[in-house]
Amino acid sequence: MYDSGKIITGLIIFVVLFTFPFWYNIGSAAYKQPKLELPKDVKECVESKEFMRTEHMQLLNEWRDMVVREHIKDYKSKLTGKEVVMSLTKTCMKCHDNKAKFCDQCHNSLAVSPYCWDCHVAPKGEK
Amino acid sequence: MRANRRKFLKIAGLATLGWSVFPNLLRASEGGEGAGHVRWGLAIDTKKLNDEVMEKAIVACHKNHNVPHIPDKREIKWLWKTTFHKAFPGQMLDNMHISEYAEKETLVLCNHCDNPPCVRVCPTKATFKRADGITMMDFHRCIGCRYCMAACPFGARSFNFYDPKKFLKSEEITTQFPTRTKGVVEKCLLCYERLDEGKKPYCVEAAEGVIYFGNLNDPESEIRKVLAERYAIKRKPELGTFPSVYYLI
């Protein structure tokens, strides 16, 4: 084979560079959910904690379309069976009344920035 | 083969005939209105309307919906004042009684037309007709193209040239209704959020009897009774948009 030395060195350099993200992260701590300030006087969210953790963005989109487009305003919780008014500020933020210590904690650590607050008013005039 | 062509022509002929007899079927499938449906409307009593009442209604509306006060041509308006001859061009000569007070002011707002041109032109369906007659806005979908503003013959729509939050004092912002953002179009939504709670629109409440509100499809409603008793006009009827806002004169 011609130039096998150069080819193999090139391949090794390629493989090392290509897998850089994997071995660079070895040893660094896994992602931990930041500390959240949960509502004190209630025990349960609209749905189960696991559902809320993973699905709250879809749930909010659904609520928005229901209220604004479908003219339906109550949501029946699959967890508690209770009806709640579908509203970002009047429902979610009534319980989670400190956006900075709840929503933002997660979102900042994950570099997500929902644009909802361009219009919707957070409790206590936070931005 | 020949029989097939005959058949095709016959069916095509029948279809054309059917279409020419019931052109309205096309519209009926769009709206979903009809007997038994609610169609909210307003009747403004221009005889009783005065400056104080108008101010009260405007403040109630704008305060509760976070409508900013911008003191130039890029203002945001949901409910505002204008003179009769500007509100009713083309009707001034026809209606002797209103031609006598061309410079008198009256309240104008979105007419929640039954045949709204703004809805027809909106490319994202951000503005659409609710089953109860409200010409609704979904601010989440508005891309700020302003076609609706060009289509609306009543100037009922305002574009946010600025971030409206800059013109709202933070202590005056209500958390009960979202603000808007730069680059979206907005207008009166007939207080849909209050109607859903069984309340009347803010302007109707603040005007204390000067503005009638109710279901235009219900012959027993207060608004239908007052419309049956008194002479009323609508803005620009010649355009065929069928406004839901009446003016008692």
Side-chain angles (χ1 to χ4, degrees):
Chain A
M1 229 201 269
Y2 301 108
D3 286 337
S4 61
K6 279 186 200 154
I7 291 173
I8 288 167
T9 332
L11 275 177
I12 289 172
I13 292 174
F14 171 75
V15 168
V16 168
L17 284 180
F18 194 74
T19 53
F20 175 78
F22 295 101
W23 54 262
Y24 179 77
N25 269 332
I26 290 173
S28 58
Y31 172 75
K32 261 215 223 88
Q33 185 175 317
K35 270 227 167 63
L36 302 173
E37 192 180 278
L38 293 174
K40 287 179 196 77
D41 36 355
V42 277
K43 288 254 142 52
E44 278 162 335
C45 196
V46 177
E47 292 291 351
S48 72
K49 186 174 172 174
E50 289 69 34
F51 178 89
M52 289 314 286
R53 232 176 240 176
T54 53
E55 307 286 331
H56 66 276
M57 29 322 211
Q58 278 94 335
L59 184 77
L60 281 170
N61 273 359
E62 217 172 90
W63 280 22
R64 176 183 71 191
D65 287 351
M66 282 294 177
V67 173
V68 179
R69 305 196 74 87
E70 308 293 334
H71 193 180
I72 300 168
K73 79 181 210 303
D74 293 318
Y75 174 82
K76 193 162 181 216
S77 164
K78 291 191 265 316
L79 179 70
T80 59
K82 273 189 243 156
E83 299 225 324
V84 291
V85 175
M86 291 187 273
S87 172
L88 176 56
T89 36
K90 287 182 239 170
T91 305
C92 306
M93 306 318 284
K94 244 252 163 83
C95 289
H96 302 292
D97 59 2
N98 195 329
K99 178 169 156 288
K101 288 197 176 136
F102 185 73
C103 317
D104 290 354
Q105 285 291 320
C106 274
H107 294 163
N108 288 346
S109 77
L110 293 157
V112 198
S113 56
Y115 68 102
C116 319
W117 312 106
D118 289 357
C119 298
H120 290 266
V121 188
K124 292 181 216 125
E126 296 169 56
K127 279 277 156 60
Chain B
M1 273 290 122
R2 183 157 287 167
N4 267 352
R5 192 164 95 178
R6 253 178 95 85
K7 225 193 234 163
F8 171 78
L9 286 175
K10 266 190 201 162
I11 291 170
L14 270 179
T16 322
L17 189 72
W19 202 337
S20 56
V21 178
F22 300 109
N24 277 345
L25 281 182
L26 276 185
R27 249 205 97 209
S29 62
E30 264 170 31
E33 66 261 75
H37 270 279
V38 176
R39 180 179 163 203
W40 298 120
L42 294 176
I44 299 173
D45 190 340
T46 62
K47 282 244 168 71
K48 283 195 242 154
L49 202 61
N50 59 35
D51 220 46
E52 195 196 327
V53 173
M54 286 194 276
E55 276 307 324
K56 263 204 252 166
I58 293 170
V59 167
C61 169
H62 286 192
K63 209 180 76 199
N64 286 299
H65 294 119
N66 289 323
V67 179
H69 178 68
I70 300 174
D72 66 29
K73 275 192 142 176
R74 298 171 172 187
E75 67 198 322
I76 306 286
K77 301 180 291 191
W78 284 31
L79 177 68
W80 71 103
K81 293 190 273 191
T82 195
T83 57
F84 264 78
H85 80 95
K86 283 190 183 139
F88 305 102
Q91 293 182 67
M92 298 309 287
L93 292 174
D94 211 25
N95 292 294
M96 286 321 222
H97 22 326
I98 68 170
S99 62
E100 283 155 25
Y101 36 82
E103 293 305 324
K104 192 179 144 160
E105 283 188 315
T106 188
L107 280 177
V108 284
L109 67 158
C110 169
N111 277 303
H112 297 277
C113 305
D114 203 30
N115 182 20
C118 53
V119 170
R120 211 174 318 147
V121 298
C122 180
T124 60
K125 289 207 172 165
T127 189
F128 56 96
K129 210 58 190 158
R130 249 174 47 149
D132 58 0
I134 297 179
T135 303
M136 186 65 181
M137 283 268 331
D138 182 345
F139 291 99
H140 310 93
R141 284 210 193 177
C142 178
I143 54 171
C145 72
R146 290 178 270 170
Y147 285 7
C148 56
M149 295 178 71
C152 176
F154 305 105
R157 293 175 164 269
S158 311
F159 182 73
N160 283 282
F161 284 94
Y162 306 107
D163 177 4
K165 282 201 175 128
K166 283 200 198 119
F167 293 86
L168 289 163
K169 290 195 197 88
S170 58
E171 69 274 13
E172 281 176 3
I173 294 184
T174 166
T175 55
Q176 299 303 300
F177 200 83
T179 61
R180 269 73 58 199
T181 180
K182 191 172 163 178
V184 297
V185 172
E186 61 183 80
K187 69 170 195 79
C188 152
L189 303 172
L190 209 60
C191 293
Y192 80 97
E193 78 282 10
R194 281 172 68 81
L195 303 186
D196 290 350
E197 290 171 10
K199 295 180 193 150
K200 288 183 178 179
Y202 284 116
C203 59
V204 176
E205 200 177 79
E208 290 169 353
V210 177
I211 305 178
Y212 297 88
F213 171 80
N215 178 5
L216 293 172
N217 282 348
D218 174 10
E220 296 304 312
S221 65
E222 193 192 11
I223 188 167
R224 279 286 296 273
K225 285 191 177 139
V226 72
L227 285 173
E229 273 164 25
R230 292 183 51 189
Y231 187 62
I233 56 173
K234 299 196 211 185
R235 294 182 66 196
K236 307 189 181 173
E238 70 279 10
L239 298 177
T241 67
F242 304 117
S244 302
V245 178
Y246 290 79
Y247 293 84
L248 303 166
I249 57 174

